[in-house]
Amino acid sequence: MSCVKKFLCVSCPVGCSLSVTVEGAEVLSVEGNTCPLGEKYARSEVANPVRTFTSTVRVNGGLLPLCPTRSKTPLPLSKVFDVAREVAQLTVDAPIEIGATLIKNVCGTGSDIVASRSLPRKHRDSRELENSA
Amino acid sequence: MSAARQVDVAIIGAGPAGLAAGAAARNEGAERVVVFERDWEPGGILQQCIHPGFGLHTFGEELTGPEYAHRYLTRVREAGVEFSLNTMVFQMDKPVLKDGRKTVTFWTMQPERGIEQIEAKSLVLAMGCRERPAGALGVAGSRPSGVYTAGTAQRFVNMEGFMPGTKVVIMGTGDIGLIMARRMLLEGAEVVGVFEIMPWVSGLRRNIAQCLDDFGIPYYLNHSVCELRGRGRLEGVGVVEVGPDRQPIPGSDKFVTCDTLLLAVGLIPENELSRMAGIAIEPITGGPIVNEWMQTSEDCVFAAGNVVVVYDLVDFVSREGERAGKYAARYAMGRLENAKREFKIVPENNVRVVSPQTLTGEDDVTVYLRVGSPVESKCRLYAEPGLFSQRLRYARPGEMNEIKLSASQLKSLASDVTRITVGLEVL
Ligand SMILES: Cc1cc2nc3c(=O)[nH]c(=O)nc-3n(C[C@H](O)[C@H](O)[C@H](O)COP(=O)(O)OP(=O)(O)OC[C@H]3O[C@@H](n4cnc5c(N)ncnc54)[C@H](O)[C@@H]3O)c2cc1C
Ligand code: SF4
């Protein structure tokens, strides 16, 4: 018995409505996508939905008390709360370079948590960056 | 007062619009290009938008806000743009003729340099937008703490390290509110629900899918928050269902317990300075009237980004910022001639917002527009006379549409044509 599942493609801001005909775990057809990414998205949504995870970590001695982070690659949606808890435990020391790996293979998902900005050390007690003017 | 500091192209605001304008102005050949920014670092709103969703068009991959800012800043620094950070522009004059050419003068405040007067050959307004606050809504009840705009909460949670509360209601379906629903949940708060007064969602549908549906957060269309309750701190909100006339349906009200209300009810272009300078503002967009050079009613003043019209994608902002910077540089170098023609773009048939509003016809242009109410069936987007026609599967207020017109098309229009109508026809 095949059935039709409805998804909204989140691969780009267009947000196409997808109708996916599945039989068991097998995708028979995808309709409604404007581009090939939509079909790829639908297949992954049926097999194992994944999302890019973003959050912040606490920072010691940084210009800001937090540094934004992201998962380097999308990770399983079902693991998002586990990952959120693990990331919330972490505190790192400034300075931080954008792209630096902060947690390897987070919660066994195969994805790393990396810094998504650079954060210099706090100097004096003002928030000042080099002013090139 | 001491003599004014001279710059060639001044840019107010170091968000994506200002950064793009700065780089483009330098690449076009302008000498002294200075970006004035009140914050301590460039990047604008991008720095607090830590979620992915930026730069698919510009960089071919999905970046977070800070990553987009970082990449763009590298380009901008290479181009030789100067920054004046921690600098608030607080006053601006109407441009005046000086030695036969227009110049614009404004005042800045900076902790070390104090108050300074700056004189620029041309200027790009890139101040972004601000959120519609609680006061503008006129909700009944008490005035407890715990009511924030979604963007303020975003800055607290993502940059400053504060949690606004533990049990959250969101009013409005703007993208920032939807993104904050997910964010508050992942930070350990309970998100009770999202209430939208209109019968449709105002943000991108992908944000409903990945911020609400993924996490089972309910949302209610045709619903509004009508009362704030609580002494000192918010204890809950009254919520009511509205009919097709947007009026409350009697007996539909209920009380929702929460300690935090986030407002995501719209953005307004930030144009106090533009008004001081006597720039003509379009009532519907709330931004300056511009042509495809992003030139305002004062020919030495250009504008780009959310100060002109609230864009949904940063890529569009960067693209229009580049335009503004390029033509501002040409103006500063005396290489921008007055346009020979002017076409007025007139929206009709459900098209509400258009930008730019006028065209010189001398350059290829992308006209951005938004519909007033959603069309969920096949429709046709057009520009007349005979310039553009495209079939769409739907058109929604939350998503901008683009009409691309070429200079050669516009130049071939009969000399008595001064209006271009753009509209959306349901098929
Ligand atoms: C909260 C929020 C979330 C968003 N999320 C997304 C998203 O997920 N994906 C996406 O593609 N787009 C998103 N957008 C849209 C996109 O990021 C914006 O359209 C874009 O940042 C606008 O750029 P801008 O340069 O016009 O304004 P801004 O980024 O707001 O920059 C304006 C700058 O001007 C400065 N300024 C203002 N007034 C003065 C003054 N008087 N003197 C000195 N400096 C001044 C401000 O400090 C600020 O740095 C979001 C927008 C907002 C507001
Ligand atoms: S199918 Fe393609 S165009 Fe449609 S939302 Fe997905 S990625 Fe975007």
Side-chain angles (χ1 to χ4, degrees):
Chain A
M1 260 301 284
S2 67
C3 70
V4 178
K5 291 193 176 177
K6 301 265 182 201
F7 297 119
L8 190 99
C9 179
V10 299
S11 309
C12 91
V14 174
C16 296
S17 301
L18 309 177
S19 298
V20 188
T21 312
V22 289
E23 192 165 327
E26 196 190 346
V27 175
L28 300 180
S29 71
V30 179
E31 276 170 61
N33 54 314
T34 317
C35 81
L37 280 180
E39 178 161 350
K40 206 175 135 206
Y41 177 80
R43 290 181 182 279
S44 113
E45 220 35 31
V46 171
N48 178 23
V50 293
R51 301 284 184 274
T52 300
F53 173 81
T54 62
S55 187
T56 54
V57 295
R58 302 240 148 226
V59 179
N60 279 326
L63 217 42
L64 290 170
L66 300 175
C67 181
T69 59
R70 62 173 291 172
S71 62
K72 201 166 175 179
T73 51
L75 48 78
L77 183 56
S78 58
K79 292 272 187 153
V80 158
F81 282 101
D82 298 338
V83 172
R85 263 188 293 271
E86 182 151 341
V87 170
Q89 311 273 309
L90 186 69
T91 303
V92 297
D93 292 325
I96 300 160
E97 264 309 302
I98 190 169
T101 303
L102 305 179
I103 306 177
K104 270 202 102 61
N105 188 15
V106 64
C107 298
T109 56
S111 182
D112 297 343
I113 297 293
V114 300
S116 58
R117 71 165 283 161
S118 297
L119 198 59
R121 243 186 235 111
K122 188 176 186 165
H123 39 90
R124 288 188 259 125
D125 54 3
S126 71
R127 279 182 187 171
E128 245 176 69
L129 276 191
E130 152 210 11
N131 201 339
S132 51
Chain B
M1 177 163 296
S2 57
R5 237 168 111 194
Q6 310 284 331
V7 306
D8 293 318
V9 181
I11 296 162
I12 307 179
L19 293 178
R26 282 285 301 159
N27 293 338
E28 193 66 17
E31 265 311 299
R32 278 212 81 187
V33 178
V34 185
V35 183
F36 297 85
E37 168 59 51
R38 64 184 170 194
D39 213 338
W40 59 279
E41 69 175 341
I45 211 76
L46 291 172
Q47 299 292 9
Q48 70 182 58
C49 298
I50 66 166
H51 56 276
F54 297 85
L56 210 53
H57 299 273
T58 312
F59 295 107
E61 56 183 301
E62 267 208 318
L63 304 171
T64 66
E67 288 173 331
Y68 187 94
H70 181 87
R71 293 231 187 144
Y72 221 96
L73 263 168
T74 313
R75 287 190 186 175
V76 173
R77 294 226 153 92
E78 276 167 11
V81 175
E82 297 172 53
F83 283 95
S84 179
L85 300 173
N86 290 311
T87 308
M88 176 83 188
V89 180
F90 68 94
Q91 170 80 41
M92 196 148 124
D93 292 347
K94 201 172 162 55
V96 290
L97 270 178
K98 196 178 157 187
D99 308 328
R101 57 179 302 150
K102 279 256 176 105
T103 49
V104 53
T105 305
F106 58 93
W107 276 266
T108 61
M109 218 187 292
Q110 207 265 350
E112 267 117 64
R113 308 173 70 112
I115 288 176
E116 273 187 296
Q117 191 185 7
I118 316 281
E119 207 176 86
K121 291 182 184 157
S122 69
L123 176 81
V124 180
L125 304 165
M127 291 89 71
C129 59
R130 61 165 70 155
E131 296 178 281
R132 189 164 291 142
L137 299 172
V139 177
S142 55
R143 288 291 177 265
S145 67
V147 181
Y148 303 89
T149 60
T152 302
Q154 187 176 52
R155 184 154 182 128
F156 284 169
V157 177
N158 292 346
M159 292 181 80
E160 313 281 354
F162 304 117
M163 258 306 262
T166 56
K167 197 169 165 133
V168 185
V169 164
I170 295 174
M171 179 168 170
T173 45
D175 287 318
I176 314 153
L178 301 177
I179 283 162
M180 280 313 288
R182 172 177 64 185
R183 188 75 191 109
M184 293 293 282
L185 189 79
L186 289 176
E187 285 292 319
E190 183 190 342
V191 182
V192 187
V194 179
F195 298 92
E196 166 62 56
I197 191 167
M198 301 307 277
W200 58 79
V201 167
S202 69
L204 297 174
R205 290 200 321 158
R206 70 187 311 219
N207 284 333
I208 294 282
Q210 58 185 349
C211 299
L212 303 186
D213 296 349
D214 273 3
F215 300 101
I217 300 171
Y219 65 96
Y220 307 88
L221 302 177
N222 293 310
H223 274 75
S224 180
V225 171
C226 58
E227 187 196 349
L228 307 179
R229 217 180 285 173
R231 299 193 166 274
R233 179 76 190 192
L234 187 68
E235 285 157 18
V237 296
V239 172
V240 70
E241 196 176 338
V242 301
D245 56 356
R246 307 272 71 80
Q247 293 304 310
I249 297 175
S252 68
D253 51 311
K254 57 178 181 183
F255 184 73
V256 181
T257 308
C258 62
D259 62 11
T260 305
L261 175 67
L262 300 187
L263 303 172
V265 290
L267 302 167
I268 310 159
E270 166 86 62
N271 279 297
E272 268 63 36
L273 291 172
S274 324
R275 285 198 190 87
M276 284 181 200
I279 307 282
I281 304 283
E282 218 258 278
I284 292 181
T285 55
I289 295 173
V290 289
N291 64 19
E292 79 269 37
W293 296 336
M294 306 312 285
Q295 191 174 34
T296 69
S297 58
E298 286 290 342
D299 57 6
C300 59
V301 179
F302 298 73
N306 283 359
V307 89
V308 178
V309 59
V310 176
Y311 292 86
D312 31 55
L313 289 185
V314 71
D315 306 85
F316 297 167
V317 170
S318 295
R319 193 158 76 193
E320 297 310 291
E322 279 170 26
R323 238 171 214 284
K326 173 172 155 184
Y327 290 99
R330 288 197 188 169
Y331 188 93
M333 296 184 293
R335 288 209 278 110
L336 190 67
E337 307 221 334
N338 285 340
K340 289 170 207 73
R341 293 180 75 171
E342 183 181 280
F343 300 98
K344 197 166 163 30
I345 304 185
V346 183
E348 60 179 24
N349 278 344
N350 194 11
V351 170
R352 207 176 123 71
V353 166
V354 284
S355 177
Q357 296 88 358
T358 69
L359 300 179
T360 68
E362 294 189 34
D363 277 284
D364 297 349
V365 58
T366 303
V367 178
Y368 296 90
L369 49 90
R370 277 185 202 281
V371 294
S373 59
V375 177
E376 294 293 345
S377 59
K378 284 206 174 66
C379 46
R380 186 179 75 94
L381 187 62
Y382 62 82
E384 298 290 351
L387 294 166
F388 182 93
S389 175
Q390 186 189 10
R391 287 169 75 101
L392 302 174
R393 287 189 296 180
Y394 57 81
R396 303 185 180 115
E399 296 157 33
M400 273 182 150
N401 289 94
E402 299 172 62
I403 288 183
K404 289 186 194 293
L405 304 177
S406 69
S408 57
Q409 257 181 319
L410 293 165
K411 282 191 174 135
S412 67
L413 287 176
S415 59
D416 60 342
V417 176
T418 55
R419 282 160 59 103
I420 294 168
T421 48
V422 298
L424 185 89
E425 170 187 69
V426 179
L427 296 177

